[in-house]
Amino acid sequence: MAETSKVIHIRNVGPEISENDLRELFQPFGGIPKLVMLHAKNQALLQMQDVSSAVNAMQFYTNVQPTIRGRNVYVQFSSHQELTMMDQNAQGRGFQALIQYDAQQNAISARTSIQIANAAAITEAFGGALPPGISGTNDRCTVLVANLNPDRIDEDKLFNLFSLYGNIVRIKLLRNKPDHALVQMGDGFQAELAVHFLKRARLFGKRLDINFSKHPHITQGADAHEYVNSNLNRFNRNAAKNYRYCCSPTKMIHVSSLPQDVTEEEIVNHFEEHGAIVNTKLFEKTRKKQAHVMFENEEQATEALVCKHATSLGGSIIRISFSQLQTIRENSQ
């Protein structure tokens, strides 16, 4: 075993595991001031508040197999005594630095500002110009969603829909107005995209009413669900590419991360509860199995997306977005 350290190295951290999941695993043993996800290697580095806390955690998990979301993870002391800078080989991308801000929201704002700082790349993603009605200068990050179906909606379903247009910080259902919710996006530009593309969307028999909120952000608390560290946020990597896929809800969904042996029948069985399926097509792109599923209308496709994004199909966690194709062609990819 490596020399004792307050830094713990965690392996087999799958894409479905978030920073919050790891924190929940180790918080019973003490504070966790720093945590680094090494996504490219399915690993993480977690720093406890002191060595004794780390030792207690390691002793406990020597006798109890730590499991997150049905996946066994494996822990050991790290060779790092302190998380300050990741070495050159940490993620295989050269030297990287850890910068600690005084508040989590400041770190979020800095990250998202960097992602959209290259305005040319963003406009190129939209075909050389921002969509009509998108200013690109909005600074209000939080949107108010009204006319929800309170019997069928929850925070995760809202996350699945709004994460198509940017990273989600947190979501809060308003208990005094059960058909209202607040959604805090990563920055004002992403909030503007969500308002623009979802302004006429229908979900669970209701036409959504979406506007910018007077609240600049959602206060952290027991009634607010946190998503800032979720691995399901789509814009942490290659944000410009994801902006390219932003559109209003369509009748067609694009399903990726499918198991290689999946069949069209299994896909139909997975989605048919959400509406009549007009057509499906399986195809491979860069050796990865993907599919298009076409419903009778946009509302059915929207329901399928919010209910089935990040669910398991054949042992794989699938990802869903709207497709801008109008019809399924034999060579559609």
Side-chain angles (χ1 to χ4, degrees):
M1 181 179 290
E3 180 183 353
T4 57
S5 165
K6 58 184 175 183
V7 180
I8 295 173
H9 178 209
I10 309 165
R11 295 179 290 112
N12 200 33
V13 179
E16 75 278 13
I17 295 177
S18 68
E19 287 191 20
N20 283 340
D21 292 328
L22 293 175
R23 289 183 182 278
E24 288 179 4
L25 198 65
F26 287 92
Q27 276 175 341
F29 305 97
I32 303 170
K34 298 176 185 177
L35 193 157
V36 178
M37 303 292 285
L38 306 177
H39 296 289
K41 294 187 175 183
N42 285 347
Q43 299 176 18
L45 294 171
L46 179 146
Q47 181 175 318
M48 303 295 294
Q49 63 187 13
D50 50 42
V51 173
S52 62
S53 298
V55 169
N56 289 337
M58 288 296 298
Q59 288 177 340
F60 180 81
Y61 288 124
T62 297
N63 300 314
V64 176
Q65 172 63 57
T67 301
I68 303 176
R69 298 182 184 272
R71 177 191 289 262
N72 289 342
V73 296
Y74 304 96
V75 298
Q76 64 188 55
F77 287 115
S78 170
S79 58
H80 295 273
Q81 291 298 312
E82 186 90 18
L83 285 180
T84 55
M85 177 179 287
M86 297 167 64
D87 64 30
Q88 185 174 6
N89 297 319
Q91 297 194 56
R93 300 181 190 172
F95 288 103
Q96 301 185 28
L98 299 177
I99 302 174
Q100 185 170 352
Y101 286 81
D102 58 345
Q104 186 182 52
Q105 185 56 45
N106 292 338
I108 297 164
S109 299
R111 181 186 67 187
T112 52
S113 296
I114 291 170
Q115 288 178 339
I116 67 169
N118 186 349
I122 298 302
T123 55
E124 182 181 351
F126 288 102
L130 293 177
I134 297 290
S135 69
T137 60
N138 172 64
D139 61 358
R140 292 173 290 178
C141 301
T142 304
V143 298
L144 175 66
V145 190
N147 204 34
L148 293 163
N149 184 332
D151 296 325
R152 301 194 62 188
I153 200 65
D154 60 36
E155 291 88 350
D156 287 344
K157 290 173 183 174
L158 282 173
F159 172 89
N160 289 345
L161 181 60
F162 279 81
S163 64
L164 291 168
Y165 309 101
N167 286 337
I168 307 300
V169 177
R170 59 184 63 93
I171 296 175
K172 179 179 180 179
L173 296 178
L174 304 186
R175 303 306 174 189
N176 59 334
K177 294 182 179 179
D179 63 339
H180 285 58
L182 292 172
V183 179
Q184 183 177 341
M185 308 291 291
D187 57 46
F189 178 64
Q190 295 176 351
E192 191 173 22
L193 291 176
V195 171
H196 175 79
F197 286 116
L198 292 176
K199 58 188 174 185
R200 287 185 292 272
R202 291 187 61 88
L203 178 62
F204 300 134
K206 301 279 190 176
R207 186 176 296 280
L208 304 184
D209 182 11
I210 303 173
N211 291 288
F212 296 104
S213 171
K214 64 182 180 181
H215 302 285
H217 62 271
I218 300 172
T219 304
Q220 289 179 286
D223 56 349
H225 282 222
E226 298 291 325
Y227 293 97
V228 66
N229 295 317
S230 173
N231 286 336
L232 295 175
N233 268 319
R234 303 175 191 245
F235 289 74
N236 286 326
R237 301 179 186 177
N238 204 348
K241 178 182 177 182
N242 282 286
Y243 286 127
R244 190 181 310 142
Y245 300 129
C246 289
C247 66
S248 297
T250 68
K251 300 177 184 179
M252 185 106 65
I253 58 172
H254 174 258
V255 189
S256 58
S257 299
L258 288 164
Q260 285 299 115
D261 59 350
V262 72
T263 65
E264 287 196 23
E265 182 181 4
E266 289 174 313
I267 292 173
V268 169
N269 290 340
H270 197 65
F271 290 107
E272 63 182 353
E273 67 179 290
H274 304 294
I277 295 175
V278 177
N279 201 358
T280 62
K281 181 171 178 61
L282 272 171
F283 60 91
E284 277 198 21
K285 190 172 184 180
T286 61
R287 297 183 179 180
K288 295 180 179 178
K289 193 62 68 78
Q290 303 180 33
H292 286 129
V293 181
M294 186 174 183
F295 290 85
E296 284 189 339
N297 57 57
E298 292 84 356
E299 183 175 357
Q300 294 171 348
T302 304
E303 179 179 321
L305 184 147
V306 303
C307 293
K308 292 298 170 63
H309 176 66
T311 58
S312 177
L313 176 57
S316 295
I317 303 300
I318 60 174
R319 298 177 68 86
I320 306 174
S321 58
F322 291 116
S323 172
Q324 298 180 48
L325 293 176
Q326 299 300 309
T327 186
I328 293 179
R329 302 183 300 269
E330 285 304 311
N331 60 349
S332 64
Q333 291 192 19

